[in-house]
Amino acid sequence: MNRSTGFSFDQTLKTSGDQDPKCQMPRLDDHCWSCSCASRVETKHSSSSGANWLASKAEEMMSIITTVLSNAYGSLHDVRTANLIRRGLVLFTVGAFLALVLNLLQIQRHVTLFPEEVMTTVFSSAWWIPPCCGTGAAVVGLLYPCLDSHLGEPHKFKREWASVMRCIAVFVGINHASVKLDFVNNMQLSLTLAALSLGLWWTFDRSRSGFGLGITTAFLATVITQLLVYNGVYQYTSPDFLYVRSWLPCIFFSGGVTVGNIGRQLAMGCVEKPHND
């Protein structure tokens, strides 16, 4: 009886041990811990590769933008340099021509006297006067637009070549009056030319930058002329302002305003040309 009972108990244990694995208690090592870690590693790897791809694309785009901007800046710099040289050449030509004509007028009226060997040249004038005046006209004409943009003071009048040509005509008239008009003394002539020069500035310029640069031009040009006459390069008849005539600063002032208007018009033409195209 006991043997049969023990046999049946062992049989029951075996049968219970041989049950289907589905009925057994799950173990911790059967869970997917390794699978979750692998998915995290794959996610990190994909995110890092995506970040590297975005960084490479951003770097490529930045290099393209830098190349385009550098090329655009280089072309713009070349265009500005070409426009600056073109304007300088035009101003130099205008200044040299006006100096040649107006100086010849003063020589014919015996306002200025040069050595005899100078009078035998083709233009009856010193060879260095046109290039010096042309260089001064180029410098002053290029400074006027730069000073306007630096001070933020735009021109108050409509810029057009007809107004510039009238300004040149008035300037030539002031020079002609300096040698043609007869006054009791040079002081009356100087006051008259000073009023005419201020009228030229008020009519065609009327800007603080133009007035200041005109005064600076008149002062520097008068000092240089004083030094030339002092060193015997040439001389003025009847000097009443040290070695020169007292009305000479008025001529230089009106000339600076005139050349400045020409430079402004040339600068405005270079700016408007790309918009017209």
Side-chain angles (χ1 to χ4, degrees), residues 202-232:
W202 183 260
T203 305
F204 300 103
D205 192 332
R206 208 177 296 183
S207 65
R208 293 176 301 170
S209 59
F211 183 80
L213 200 54
I215 292 292
T216 305
T217 302
F219 175 76
L220 294 177
T222 303
V223 170
I224 293 173
T225 306
Q226 296 274 13
L227 292 176
L228 292 175
V229 177
Y230 175 77
N231 290 303

mmCIF file of all heavy atoms in Angstrom, residues 202-232:
data_model
loop_
_atom_site.group_PDB
_atom_site.id
_atom_site.type_symbol
_atom_site.label_atom_id
_atom_site.label_comp_id
_atom_site.label_asym_id
_atom_site.label_seq_id
_atom_site.Cartn_x
_atom_site.Cartn_y
_atom_site.Cartn_z
ATOM 1 N N TRP A 202 24.981 129.302 -53.896
ATOM 2 C CA TRP A 202 23.597 129.301 -53.451
ATOM 3 C C TRP A 202 22.652 128.806 -54.550
ATOM 4 O O TRP A 202 21.635 128.157 -54.274
ATOM 5 C CB TRP A 202 23.198 130.700 -53.007
ATOM 6 C CG TRP A 202 21.799 130.782 -52.468
ATOM 7 C CD1 TRP A 202 20.678 131.212 -53.118
ATOM 8 C CD2 TRP A 202 21.376 130.415 -51.147
ATOM 9 N NE1 TRP A 202 19.583 131.136 -52.301
ATOM 10 C CE2 TRP A 202 19.981 130.647 -51.074
ATOM 11 C CE3 TRP A 202 22.040 129.917 -50.035
ATOM 12 C CZ2 TRP A 202 19.246 130.395 -49.930
ATOM 13 C CZ3 TRP A 202 21.303 129.668 -48.886
ATOM 14 C CH2 TRP A 202 19.927 129.911 -48.842
ATOM 15 N N THR A 203 22.987 129.088 -55.786
ATOM 16 C CA THR A 203 22.106 128.713 -56.886
ATOM 17 C C THR A 203 22.244 127.248 -57.270
ATOM 18 O O THR A 203 21.229 126.563 -57.511
ATOM 19 C CB THR A 203 22.401 129.598 -58.115
ATOM 20 O OG1 THR A 203 22.282 130.972 -57.749
ATOM 21 C CG2 THR A 203 21.440 129.276 -59.256
ATOM 22 N N PHE A 204 23.454 126.727 -57.282
ATOM 23 C CA PHE A 204 23.681 125.389 -57.816
ATOM 24 C C PHE A 204 24.088 124.349 -56.766
ATOM 25 O O PHE A 204 24.206 123.171 -57.105
ATOM 26 C CB PHE A 204 24.766 125.438 -58.897
ATOM 27 C CG PHE A 204 24.422 126.326 -60.051
ATOM 28 C CD1 PHE A 204 24.988 127.580 -60.170
ATOM 29 C CD2 PHE A 204 23.524 125.910 -61.014
ATOM 30 C CE1 PHE A 204 24.683 128.408 -61.244
ATOM 31 C CE2 PHE A 204 23.202 126.720 -62.093
ATOM 32 C CZ PHE A 204 23.781 127.981 -62.200
ATOM 33 N N ASP A 205 24.312 124.770 -55.531
ATOM 34 C CA ASP A 205 24.768 123.804 -54.534
ATOM 35 C C ASP A 205 23.923 123.897 -53.259
ATOM 36 O O ASP A 205 23.117 123.039 -52.958
ATOM 37 C CB ASP A 205 26.245 124.047 -54.220
ATOM 38 C CG ASP A 205 26.859 122.916 -53.417
ATOM 39 O OD1 ASP A 205 26.125 122.259 -52.672
ATOM 40 O OD2 ASP A 205 28.076 122.691 -53.525
ATOM 41 N N ARG A 206 24.170 124.956 -52.490
ATOM 42 C CA ARG A 206 23.414 125.229 -51.268
ATOM 43 C C ARG A 206 23.535 124.098 -50.228
ATOM 44 O O ARG A 206 22.578 123.765 -49.522
ATOM 45 C CB ARG A 206 21.950 125.488 -51.590
ATOM 46 C CG ARG A 206 21.254 126.397 -50.588
ATOM 47 C CD ARG A 206 19.832 126.679 -50.981
ATOM 48 N NE ARG A 206 19.726 127.407 -52.231
ATOM 49 C CZ ARG A 206 18.573 127.823 -52.764
ATOM 50 N NH1 ARG A 206 17.436 127.584 -52.128
ATOM 51 N NH2 ARG A 206 18.556 128.480 -53.904
ATOM 52 N N SER A 207 24.703 123.493 -50.126
ATOM 53 C CA SER A 207 24.939 122.442 -49.136
ATOM 54 C C SER A 207 26.122 122.835 -48.252
ATOM 55 O O SER A 207 27.035 123.544 -48.679
ATOM 56 C CB SER A 207 25.226 121.100 -49.817
ATOM 57 O OG SER A 207 26.431 121.153 -50.553
ATOM 58 N N ARG A 208 26.090 122.351 -47.020
ATOM 59 C CA ARG A 208 27.186 122.646 -46.092
ATOM 60 C C ARG A 208 28.488 121.999 -46.539
ATOM 61 O O ARG A 208 29.566 122.595 -46.411
ATOM 62 C CB ARG A 208 26.823 122.167 -44.693
ATOM 63 C CG ARG A 208 25.674 122.923 -44.050
ATOM 64 C CD ARG A 208 25.341 122.306 -42.714
ATOM 65 N NE ARG A 208 24.964 120.904 -42.859
ATOM 66 C CZ ARG A 208 24.803 120.050 -41.849
ATOM 67 N NH1 ARG A 208 25.007 120.486 -40.613
ATOM 68 N NH2 ARG A 208 24.462 118.796 -42.059
ATOM 69 N N SER A 209 28.386 120.766 -47.055
ATOM 70 C CA SER A 209 29.597 120.081 -47.520
ATOM 71 C C SER A 209 30.219 120.808 -48.698
ATOM 72 O O SER A 209 31.443 120.951 -48.786
ATOM 73 C CB SER A 209 29.249 118.646 -47.913
ATOM 74 O OG SER A 209 28.264 118.624 -48.934
ATOM 75 N N GLY A 210 29.373 121.306 -49.620
ATOM 76 C CA GLY A 210 29.894 122.053 -50.755
ATOM 77 C C GLY A 210 30.545 123.354 -50.341
ATOM 78 O O GLY A 210 31.603 123.734 -50.852
ATOM 79 N N PHE A 211 29.930 124.057 -49.381
ATOM 80 C CA PHE A 211 30.509 125.313 -48.917
ATOM 81 C C PHE A 211 31.831 125.071 -48.190
ATOM 82 O O PHE A 211 32.826 125.769 -48.420
ATOM 83 C CB PHE A 211 29.519 126.019 -47.989
ATOM 84 C CG PHE A 211 29.988 127.367 -47.518
ATOM 85 C CD1 PHE A 211 29.869 128.483 -48.336
ATOM 86 C CD2 PHE A 211 30.549 127.515 -46.256
ATOM 87 C CE1 PHE A 211 30.308 129.731 -47.899
ATOM 88 C CE2 PHE A 211 30.986 128.750 -45.819
ATOM 89 C CZ PHE A 211 30.861 129.859 -46.638
ATOM 90 N N GLY A 212 31.854 124.064 -47.307
ATOM 91 C CA GLY A 212 33.088 123.776 -46.571
ATOM 92 C C GLY A 212 34.220 123.326 -47.460
ATOM 93 O O GLY A 212 35.375 123.770 -47.305
ATOM 94 N N LEU A 213 33.905 122.446 -48.425
ATOM 95 C CA LEU A 213 34.954 121.983 -49.331
ATOM 96 C C LEU A 213 35.397 123.090 -50.281
ATOM 97 O O LEU A 213 36.570 123.151 -50.671
ATOM 98 C CB LEU A 213 34.461 120.766 -50.118
ATOM 99 C CG LEU A 213 35.524 119.865 -50.740
ATOM 100 C CD1 LEU A 213 36.527 119.410 -49.687
ATOM 101 C CD2 LEU A 213 34.880 118.644 -51.383
ATOM 102 N N GLY A 214 34.479 123.990 -50.647
ATOM 103 C CA GLY A 214 34.866 125.131 -51.474
ATOM 104 C C GLY A 214 35.810 126.065 -50.744
ATOM 105 O O GLY A 214 36.793 126.555 -51.320
ATOM 106 N N ILE A 215 35.524 126.326 -49.459
ATOM 107 C CA ILE A 215 36.422 127.164 -48.647
ATOM 108 C C ILE A 215 37.787 126.497 -48.505
ATOM 109 O O ILE A 215 38.847 127.152 -48.623
ATOM 110 C CB ILE A 215 35.802 127.434 -47.268
ATOM 111 C CG1 ILE A 215 34.575 128.336 -47.407
ATOM 112 C CG2 ILE A 215 36.814 128.060 -46.328
ATOM 113 C CD1 ILE A 215 34.871 129.738 -47.841
ATOM 114 N N THR A 216 37.791 125.189 -48.260
ATOM 115 C CA THR A 216 39.064 124.464 -48.125
ATOM 116 C C THR A 216 39.861 124.499 -49.423
ATOM 117 O O THR A 216 41.088 124.708 -49.415
ATOM 118 C CB THR A 216 38.799 123.014 -47.710
ATOM 119 O OG1 THR A 216 38.020 122.997 -46.513
ATOM 120 C CG2 THR A 216 40.092 122.271 -47.474
ATOM 121 N N THR A 217 39.171 124.304 -50.545
ATOM 122 C CA THR A 217 39.843 124.359 -51.849
ATOM 123 C C THR A 217 40.440 125.743 -52.102
ATOM 124 O O THR A 217 41.583 125.866 -52.563
ATOM 125 C CB THR A 217 38.852 123.997 -52.964
ATOM 126 O OG1 THR A 217 38.308 122.700 -52.720
ATOM 127 C CG2 THR A 217 39.526 124.013 -54.322
ATOM 128 N N ALA A 218 39.661 126.791 -51.793
ATOM 129 C CA ALA A 218 40.159 128.154 -52.007
ATOM 130 C C ALA A 218 41.375 128.436 -51.135
ATOM 131 O O ALA A 218 42.358 129.042 -51.601
ATOM 132 C CB ALA A 218 39.040 129.156 -51.708
ATOM 133 N N PHE A 219 41.344 127.987 -49.890
ATOM 134 C CA PHE A 219 42.473 128.246 -48.985
ATOM 135 C C PHE A 219 43.739 127.526 -49.453
ATOM 136 O O PHE A 219 44.816 128.147 -49.572
ATOM 137 C CB PHE A 219 42.097 127.810 -47.569
ATOM 138 C CG PHE A 219 43.224 127.911 -46.588
ATOM 139 C CD1 PHE A 219 43.621 129.147 -46.081
ATOM 140 C CD2 PHE A 219 43.912 126.779 -46.182
ATOM 141 C CE1 PHE A 219 44.672 129.250 -45.178
ATOM 142 C CE2 PHE A 219 44.954 126.867 -45.280
ATOM 143 C CZ PHE A 219 45.346 128.096 -44.773
ATOM 144 N N LEU A 220 43.620 126.223 -49.737
ATOM 145 C CA LEU A 220 44.803 125.460 -50.144
ATOM 146 C C LEU A 220 45.359 125.943 -51.480
ATOM 147 O O LEU A 220 46.581 126.066 -51.649
ATOM 148 C CB LEU A 220 44.454 123.977 -50.216
ATOM 149 C CG LEU A 220 44.105 123.294 -48.888
ATOM 150 C CD1 LEU A 220 43.717 121.841 -49.118
ATOM 151 C CD2 LEU A 220 45.274 123.390 -47.908
ATOM 152 N N ALA A 221 44.480 126.204 -52.440
ATOM 153 C CA ALA A 221 44.945 126.662 -53.749
ATOM 154 C C ALA A 221 45.607 128.031 -53.652
ATOM 155 O O ALA A 221 46.614 128.299 -54.341
ATOM 156 C CB ALA A 221 43.773 126.704 -54.729
ATOM 157 N N THR A 222 45.082 128.916 -52.801
ATOM 158 C CA THR A 222 45.698 130.236 -52.633
ATOM 159 C C THR A 222 47.075 130.123 -51.998
ATOM 160 O O THR A 222 48.025 130.811 -52.405
ATOM 161 C CB THR A 222 44.789 131.134 -51.786
ATOM 162 O OG1 THR A 222 43.497 131.223 -52.398
ATOM 163 C CG2 THR A 222 45.374 132.525 -51.664
ATOM 164 N N VAL A 223 47.207 129.238 -51.003
ATOM 165 C CA VAL A 223 48.510 129.052 -50.363
ATOM 166 C C VAL A 223 49.523 128.493 -51.367
ATOM 167 O O VAL A 223 50.687 128.958 -51.428
ATOM 168 C CB VAL A 223 48.375 128.114 -49.148
ATOM 169 C CG1 VAL A 223 49.741 127.710 -48.623
ATOM 170 C CG2 VAL A 223 47.567 128.793 -48.044
ATOM 171 N N ILE A 224 49.119 127.517 -52.181
ATOM 172 C CA ILE A 224 50.040 126.954 -53.181
ATOM 173 C C ILE A 224 50.434 128.012 -54.204
ATOM 174 O O ILE A 224 51.611 128.114 -54.606
ATOM 175 C CB ILE A 224 49.377 125.736 -53.860
ATOM 176 C CG1 ILE A 224 49.207 124.599 -52.852
ATOM 177 C CG2 ILE A 224 50.218 125.264 -55.041
ATOM 178 C CD1 ILE A 224 48.425 123.421 -53.388
ATOM 179 N N THR A 225 49.477 128.837 -54.611
ATOM 180 C CA THR A 225 49.792 129.900 -55.574
ATOM 181 C C THR A 225 50.742 130.930 -54.969
ATOM 182 O O THR A 225 51.663 131.424 -55.645
ATOM 183 C CB THR A 225 48.494 130.578 -56.031
ATOM 184 O OG1 THR A 225 47.592 129.590 -56.529
ATOM 185 C CG2 THR A 225 48.777 131.594 -57.128
ATOM 186 N N GLN A 226 50.535 131.256 -53.706
ATOM 187 C CA GLN A 226 51.458 132.175 -53.037
ATOM 188 C C GLN A 226 52.884 131.631 -53.031
ATOM 189 O O GLN A 226 53.857 132.366 -53.286
ATOM 190 C CB GLN A 226 50.990 132.420 -51.591
ATOM 191 C CG GLN A 226 49.655 133.120 -51.458
ATOM 192 C CD GLN A 226 49.776 134.633 -51.504
ATOM 193 O OE1 GLN A 226 50.805 135.191 -51.868
ATOM 194 N NE2 GLN A 226 48.695 135.308 -51.142
ATOM 195 N N LEU A 227 53.008 130.336 -52.766
ATOM 196 C CA LEU A 227 54.345 129.729 -52.749
ATOM 197 C C LEU A 227 54.977 129.726 -54.139
ATOM 198 O O LEU A 227 56.188 129.970 -54.289
ATOM 199 C CB LEU A 227 54.252 128.301 -52.207
ATOM 200 C CG LEU A 227 53.872 128.173 -50.715
ATOM 201 C CD1 LEU A 227 53.709 126.710 -50.342
ATOM 202 C CD2 LEU A 227 54.917 128.842 -49.831
ATOM 203 N N LEU A 228 54.180 129.458 -55.174
ATOM 204 C CA LEU A 228 54.723 129.460 -56.539
ATOM 205 C C LEU A 228 55.203 130.854 -56.941
ATOM 206 O O LEU A 228 56.279 131.007 -57.537
ATOM 207 C CB LEU A 228 53.664 128.953 -57.519
ATOM 208 C CG LEU A 228 53.285 127.468 -57.405
ATOM 209 C CD1 LEU A 228 52.140 127.140 -58.355
ATOM 210 C CD2 LEU A 228 54.489 126.582 -57.707
ATOM 211 N N VAL A 229 54.389 131.855 -56.638
ATOM 212 C CA VAL A 229 54.791 133.223 -56.981
ATOM 213 C C VAL A 229 55.993 133.654 -56.149
ATOM 214 O O VAL A 229 56.905 134.343 -56.642
ATOM 215 C CB VAL A 229 53.600 134.186 -56.785
ATOM 216 C CG1 VAL A 229 54.023 135.623 -57.064
ATOM 217 C CG2 VAL A 229 52.450 133.801 -57.717
ATOM 218 N N TYR A 230 56.033 133.243 -54.911
ATOM 219 C CA TYR A 230 57.157 133.604 -54.036
ATOM 220 C C TYR A 230 58.465 133.006 -54.554
ATOM 221 O O TYR A 230 59.533 133.642 -54.454
ATOM 222 C CB TYR A 230 56.876 133.122 -52.616
ATOM 223 C CG TYR A 230 58.014 133.345 -51.658
ATOM 224 C CD1 TYR A 230 58.275 134.613 -51.130
ATOM 225 C CD2 TYR A 230 58.842 132.287 -51.288
ATOM 226 C CE1 TYR A 230 59.329 134.823 -50.255
ATOM 227 C CE2 TYR A 230 59.894 132.486 -50.414
ATOM 228 C CZ TYR A 230 60.141 133.748 -49.897
ATOM 229 O OH TYR A 230 61.191 133.955 -49.032
ATOM 230 N N ASN A 231 58.396 131.803 -55.115
ATOM 231 C CA ASN A 231 59.593 131.155 -55.659
ATOM 232 C C ASN A 231 59.912 131.588 -57.087
ATOM 233 O O ASN A 231 60.831 131.034 -57.713
ATOM 234 C CB ASN A 231 59.439 129.633 -55.618
ATOM 235 C CG ASN A 231 59.491 129.097 -54.197
ATOM 236 O OD1 ASN A 231 60.460 129.328 -53.477
ATOM 237 N ND2 ASN A 231 58.456 128.399 -53.781
ATOM 238 N N GLY A 232 59.180 132.547 -57.628
ATOM 239 C CA GLY A 232 59.491 133.100 -58.938
ATOM 240 C C GLY A 232 59.051 132.269 -60.115
ATOM 241 O O GLY A 232 59.551 132.461 -61.239
#
